[in-house]
Amino acid sequence: APSAAMAEGSGSGGSGRGPPCPGAVSAFRRWEQLRRRAATPWARGLLAVAAGLGLLYAVLRVPVRLRDGLAAVTVFLSTLTPKFYFALTVTSSFISGLIFVFEWWHFRKYGTSFIEQVSVSHLRPLIGGAENSPPAPAAFSAGENDTSRQNMPECKVWRNPLNLFRGAEYSRYMWVTGKEPLTYYDMNLSAQDHQTFFTCDTDTLRPSDTVMQKAWRERNPQARIKAAYQALELNNDCATAYVLLAEEEATTIVDAEKYFKQALRAGEMIYRKSQNCHSQSPQHEAQLRRDTNVLVYVKRRLAMCARKLGRIREAVKMMRDLMKEFPLLSMLNIHENLLEALLELQAYADVQAVLAKYDDISLPKSAAICYTAALLKARAVSERFSPETASKRGLSTAEINAVEAIHRAVEFNPHVPKYLLEMKSLVLPPEHILKRGDSEAVAYAFFHLQHWKRIEGALNLLHCTWEGTFRMIPYPLEKGHLFYPYPSCTETADRELLPTFHEVSVYPQKELPFFIHFTAGLCSFSAMLALLTHQFPELMVIFAKA
């Protein structure tokens, strides 16, 4: 034993360990002897006999326990009365009914099943579901990552080019109906826009601009109006103060136009001063950008006032001049205001010229561009179009072009046709829209429905052809035809932008979750059992005991 221990110690010396203790060596020897004895045939036979006896005991003992348990359950059930069964089924039906109603309400409001959401969010991590999920692929290079990020459709919220006036339109709607047409999220986005457009770092140099900087952050409309008057007391030529009063205090478009004319006079004067000294320092350049934003905003709103007051040709001229004077501000989408005004004039050749410039593959699309292009092509064939005649002789080239344009528009925003065909009720459009979403559809249909009605047969052609789009894109969330796949985030954003009393349009239509079907079936089955127990108590007791 000492020589073996020394041999083992010398063998392990290269690894840096000390020699094992004598107790460990003796324990190891005993284990080796026991293993050699268990490997003999008689030892294996003895273990097999013991395992068989244990299994026989379990087979004979478990049925005895099960029999005793069933006997106890039978005795318990035999003592129950029909009233107990009736109360049990009624309680089960009531609870499952409550769960079904809550599930249905949650699905209608949020678009998801509450039970499924809780299961995924809280129960799956507890049972190790998150650990078993496959890891996200991380083998992309930086360039591939950037490319995939560019190709991914983004749910970006845009300023509505045709947004209404708060005091003259939104507030009047609230006074008449008692319903708030704007959501807090939408108004908060507008407050951020105002702070971005109408403020800069040099506001501290002018007391009136300092007051207006605080005014744009106020949540209370009356506090904002009061701050605007304070700014005018400090400086009678504060353009942003007139803008705020025109947007929120004026109760008619005429009053709003008066305020905007005063803002235009003050804004042009400040803009000329900023142009003369914008190259002196970066602060002056920021001030010039701010004054440019104010001037463009005022001119655009004046053109919209002229459009609303019926002076459409004047509005068109103001919009064209604005686009020529500030060509780099195309992101403001002034051309959509121009398209709507030209459609009101029925100047379809001018509309086509605007589309030729802005309906370009390299420029971002909108419902106004896609559906106006479809309207012009439908105008050429809609008056003589008949579904019966087209099914017999086939579609002509012009009709095929019109149908393809409608399919293109519907693929871009599938929510619009229901509003144009008056299958869904309209509400006032929000101040911000989500492209390809329900909010954009509401904003487009609110202003353009009259233009579709004016062209005879256009709505009929739309009614006959718009649903054919969905046969070309059976899986719109995975693959599109002419555009990117339809973004799955539109429903959530639209619920934030549109008022709660409006039923948000969802595309593609979601199937009812499993748990709604399950709770509905459970509630119906429990109610049926309760009814049978009430009508036939003795028979149902016998059935339960059996």
Side-chain angles (χ1 to χ4, degrees):
S3 61
M6 291 177 64
E8 289 181 13
S10 62
S12 62
S15 61
R17 300 175 191 166
C21 61
V25 174
S26 60
F28 178 74
R29 284 190 167 188
R30 288 196 210 98
W31 168 252
E32 287 294 326
Q33 293 176 359
L34 183 61
R35 189 173 63 82
R36 282 196 295 269
R37 290 175 182 174
T40 57
W42 64 268
R44 291 180 180 176
L46 186 61
L47 290 175
V49 171
L53 292 175
L55 182 61
L56 180 63
Y57 174 80
V59 170
L60 295 178
R61 182 62 179 169
V62 170
V64 174
R65 290 187 174 181
L66 288 177
R67 194 178 302 111
D68 295 341
L70 289 175
V73 171
T74 304
V75 172
F76 174 74
L77 291 176
S78 63
T79 59
L80 298 178
T81 62
K83 292 183 179 180
F84 171 80
Y85 291 107
F86 178 71
L88 178 65
T89 51
V90 168
T91 304
S92 175
S93 176
F94 177 73
I95 294 175
S96 56
L98 288 179
I99 297 175
F100 168 71
V101 171
F102 178 76
E103 274 284 297
W104 177 261
W105 170 82
H106 193 275
F107 176 74
R108 296 289 293 178
K109 186 173 180 62
Y110 300 105
T112 57
S113 166
F114 177 76
I115 300 177
E116 183 178 349
Q117 185 177 358
V118 170
S119 302
V120 172
S121 303
H122 302 287
L123 298 183
R124 180 178 292 180
L126 294 178
I127 61 177
E131 297 175 0
N132 298 332
S133 59
F140 295 108
S141 65
E144 292 173 343
N145 237 340
D146 294 339
T147 304
S148 63
R149 193 181 298 111
Q150 291 175 0
N151 294 335
M152 189 69 66
E154 181 184 5
C155 284
K156 179 182 178 182
V157 176
W158 297 73
R159 182 83 177 176
N160 184 3
L162 299 168
N163 65 308
L164 305 177
F165 295 87
R166 282 198 188 178
E169 292 172 308
Y170 287 120
S171 295
R172 291 174 63 186
Y173 177 85
M174 185 173 63
W175 296 337
V176 174
T177 63
K179 298 178 180 179
E180 180 61 60
L182 297 176
T183 63
Y184 174 77
Y185 176 68
D186 192 15
M187 291 188 289
N188 188 43
L189 290 176
S190 297
Q192 296 177 17
D193 292 341
H194 295 153
Q195 294 176 50
T196 303
F197 293 156
F198 303 146
T199 62
C200 66
D201 296 336
T202 61
D203 285 345
T204 55
L205 302 178
R206 293 185 287 192
S208 59
D209 290 339
T210 305
V211 173
M212 288 307 301
Q213 193 174 41
K214 297 178 181 179
W216 295 121
R217 297 172 182 170
E218 287 285 349
R219 293 186 179 182
N220 187 0
Q222 297 302 321
R224 290 195 294 268
I225 294 173
K226 183 178 178 181
Y229 278 115
Q230 291 176 356
L232 289 176
E233 291 176 359
L234 296 171
N235 179 13
N236 195 37
D237 292 329
C238 183
T240 53
Y242 288 118
V243 169
L244 192 148
L245 294 176
E247 291 287 350
E248 302 202 21
E249 192 193 38
T251 56
T252 63
I253 301 298
V254 175
D255 295 339
E257 187 179 35
K258 292 178 181 178
Y259 280 122
F260 276 121
K261 286 182 178 179
Q262 291 177 289
L264 178 63
R265 179 181 55 81
E268 286 180 336
M269 181 176 60
I270 298 173
Y271 177 71
R272 285 193 293 268
K273 291 181 180 179
S274 300
Q275 274 187 317
N276 295 331
C277 58
H278 76 279
S279 58
Q280 296 180 4
S281 65
Q283 288 78 13
H284 286 89
E285 291 183 4
Q287 185 173 338
L288 176 62
R289 283 195 300 269
R290 191 276 308 274
D291 295 337
T292 304
N293 292 336
V294 173
L295 186 61
V296 172
Y297 185 89
V298 170
K299 288 187 174 183
R300 180 181 192 169
R301 294 304 259 178
L302 276 173
M304 294 175 68
C305 287
R307 163 67 183 91
K308 293 176 184 293
L309 294 174
R311 306 195 306 269
I312 306 173
R313 295 189 183 277
E314 178 186 346
V316 169
K317 182 179 183 304
M318 294 173 68
M319 293 174 191
R320 290 187 185 277
D321 293 343
L322 185 59
M323 294 169 67
K324 290 179 182 178
E325 186 178 1
F326 301 98
L328 299 179
L329 297 179
S330 59
M331 74 287 296
L332 298 177
N333 297 325
I334 304 175
H335 59 275
E336 295 193 15
N337 299 81
L338 180 61
L339 281 175
E340 197 278 328
L342 291 173
L343 286 173
E344 182 64 22
L345 289 175
Q346 301 184 39
Y348 297 112
D350 294 336
V351 173
Q352 186 62 55
V354 175
L355 287 177
K357 182 177 180 181
Y358 290 97
D359 192 7
D360 187 80
I361 191 171
S362 62
L363 297 177
K365 298 293 181 293
S366 67
I369 289 178
C370 294
Y371 277 90
T372 302
L375 177 62
L376 292 188
K377 292 189 177 180
R379 174 176 170 267
V381 299
S382 60
E383 188 175 354
R384 299 179 302 275
F385 178 77
S386 172
E388 295 79 10
T389 307
S391 61
K392 292 179 182 178
R393 62 170 172 80
L395 296 175
S396 63
T397 304
E399 290 173 341
I400 291 175
N401 292 335
V403 171
E404 288 179 350
I406 290 176
H407 288 174
R408 170 179 178 258
V410 174
E411 182 185 353
F412 182 82
N413 194 317
H415 309 281
V416 173
K418 288 187 177 181
Y419 294 107
L420 294 179
L421 299 173
E422 299 182 271
M423 300 167 62
K424 277 181 66 70
S425 59
L426 278 171
V427 294
L428 294 187
E431 293 182 338
H432 290 81
I433 59 174
L434 181 68
K435 288 192 175 183
R436 306 188 74 178
D438 191 33
S439 53
E440 184 191 33
V442 170
Y444 172 80
F446 185 86
F447 293 99
H448 289 262
L449 176 58
Q450 56 181 335
H451 307 316
W452 281 81
K453 287 183 175 181
R454 187 178 294 124
I455 297 177
E456 184 179 356
L459 290 176
N460 179 44
L461 179 61
L462 177 68
H463 175 71
C464 296
T465 57
W466 74 280
E467 291 182 336
T469 310
F470 306 129
R471 290 193 290 269
M472 298 186 299
I473 43 175
Y475 304 103
L477 299 179
E478 301 174 7
K479 184 179 180 181
H481 180 61
L482 298 174
F483 299 98
Y484 288 126
Y486 190 79
S488 58
C489 58
T490 57
E491 181 185 356
T492 305
D494 282 331
R495 291 186 188 277
E496 296 286 340
L497 292 171
L498 293 167
T500 54
F501 57 83
H502 173 71
E503 184 180 354
V504 175
S505 176
V506 179
Y507 175 81
Q509 286 292 333
K510 293 184 178 180
E511 297 181 356
L512 289 178
F514 164 76
F515 287 105
I516 289 184
H517 293 286
F518 177 75
T519 52
L522 181 61
C523 178
S524 303
F525 180 71
S526 304
M528 183 183 65
L529 286 181
L531 180 63
L532 292 176
T533 305
H534 183 266
Q535 295 293 330
F536 312 102
E538 293 82 6
L539 184 62
M540 292 302 294
V541 169
I542 296 174
F543 176 75
K545 292 179 179 179

